[in-house]
Amino acid sequence: AGVTQNPKFQVLKTGQSMTLQCAQDMNHNSMYWYRQDPGLGLRLIYYSFDVKDINKGEISDGYSVSRQAQAKFSLSLESAIPNQTALYFCATSGYGFLTKNIQYFGAGTRLSVL
Amino acid sequence: DQQVKQNSPSLSVQEGRISILNCDYTNSMFDYFLWYKKYPAEGPTFLISISSIKDKNEDGRFTVFLNKSAKHLSLHIVPSQPGDSAVYFCAASAWNYGGSQGNLIFGKGTKLSVKP
């Protein structure tokens, strides 16, 4: 299956909270969360090189993450605001000498905050 | 400040011709470069990569060229096919510096349309 994201679509009202789930069966150590906005490419929110490692990315404000297991990495919005409307992608990487940081992406979660 | 730039938001090419997608970068530490392809309603998929010790890498119809002095790379697709119509993202990392330096920095993407 590779990288699985749930849900695929979500509509929230301002102030609501939710958690985006990501699971991978590629036995990768590293996992990432990105958001894509029209015309802005992919921007890194949080990343984790292993279960006990969590790091902020370029745009972490308003988000939190949890690495529940090597295979699972979730992204939470505690109090959603309209400018968090975007397409969210989870990615994984083996991050090794041979594999470098070739990342493999899930199909994405389209989030709308009204 | 954008470290990875794709200055053409879109490109239209006739089927069978060459598609050339361009990418410029500003960070001299970048030593590993990747191209991703993205179809609507799907996640980006890895296409091809190149290390800074090379200036060319080929994989079938896809070739990536790297010009380190100009801080420029390009993706050539020959011949172009309608199924190649997608958004193409360029990404770069400072892989050999390790840790977070190996994270990917993405360009904004170029939408390629290949017309039959």
Side-chain angles (χ1 to χ4, degrees):
Chain A
V3 182
T4 303
Q5 290 185 237
N6 283 298
K8 290 185 171 30
F9 303 95
Q10 184 70 48
V11 179
L12 292 178
K13 293 181 180 178
T14 298
Q16 287 185 319
S17 62
M18 79 159 296
T19 297
L20 284 66
Q21 306 287 350
C22 177
Q24 53 105 352
D25 62 3
M26 304 179 78
N27 200 30
H28 284 167
N29 288 330
S30 300
M31 297 188 74
Y32 308 81
W33 276 104
Y34 292 90
R35 65 178 277 175
Q36 184 189 8
D37 297 276
L40 291 181
L42 292 158
R43 293 183 293 167
L44 184 62
I45 306 173
Y46 270 95
Y47 62 100
S48 168
F49 288 146
D50 65 39
V51 174
K52 296 181 181 179
D53 176 74
I54 300 288
N55 303 282
K56 293 182 177 181
E58 178 188 354
I59 51 165
S60 59
D61 286 349
Y63 303 95
S64 62
V65 291
S66 174
R67 185 82 184 264
Q68 301 94 327
Q70 184 188 15
K72 295 184 179 181
F73 192 38
S74 60
L75 176 73
S76 296
L77 289 72
E78 297 301 325
S79 179
I81 56 176
N83 78 359
Q84 291 179 310
T85 294
L87 192 51
Y88 290 83
F89 290 105
C90 175
T92 74
S93 169
Y95 209 90
F97 176 72
L98 294 178
T99 57
K100 299 287 195 292
N101 196 6
I102 296 174
Q103 295 182 15
Y104 298 87
F105 286 79
T109 295
R110 185 169 293 280
L111 176 67
S112 294
V113 184
L114 305 177
Chain B
D1 181 32
Q2 266 187 279
Q3 298 187 68
V4 178
K5 300 177 184 179
Q6 293 178 257
N7 292 320
S8 298
S10 63
L11 174 67
S12 184
V13 171
Q14 206 67 32
E15 181 180 5
R17 306 294 289 268
I18 184 171
S19 294
I20 300 176
L21 294 95
N22 294 304
C23 179
D24 296 295
Y25 62 95
T26 58
N27 189 340
S28 299
M29 292 168 59
F30 288 152
D31 53 21
Y32 189 62
F33 305 89
L34 307 87
W35 284 95
Y36 280 81
K37 179 167 74 171
K38 184 184 179 303
Y39 293 119
E42 295 184 11
T45 56
F46 170 69
L47 193 56
I48 191 169
S49 63
I50 188 166
S51 168
S52 60
I53 62 173
K54 296 185 175 182
D55 55 18
K56 176 183 174 181
N57 189 26
E58 276 183 273
D59 185 0
R61 297 185 297 113
F62 302 91
T63 302
V64 56
F65 295 92
L66 176 63
N67 182 333
K68 290 187 291 293
S69 60
K71 293 190 177 69
H72 177 83
L73 65 155
S74 60
L75 175 68
H76 292 211
I77 306 173
V78 184
S80 301
Q81 300 173 353
D84 295 328
S85 297
V87 176
Y88 289 79
F89 291 100
C90 169
S93 78
W95 167 254
N96 282 314
Y97 290 85
S100 63
Q101 303 290 346
N103 285 345
L104 301 183
I105 307 296
F106 285 86
K108 294 182 178 181
T110 297
K111 183 176 183 179
L112 174 65
S113 299
V114 180
K115 300 187 184 306

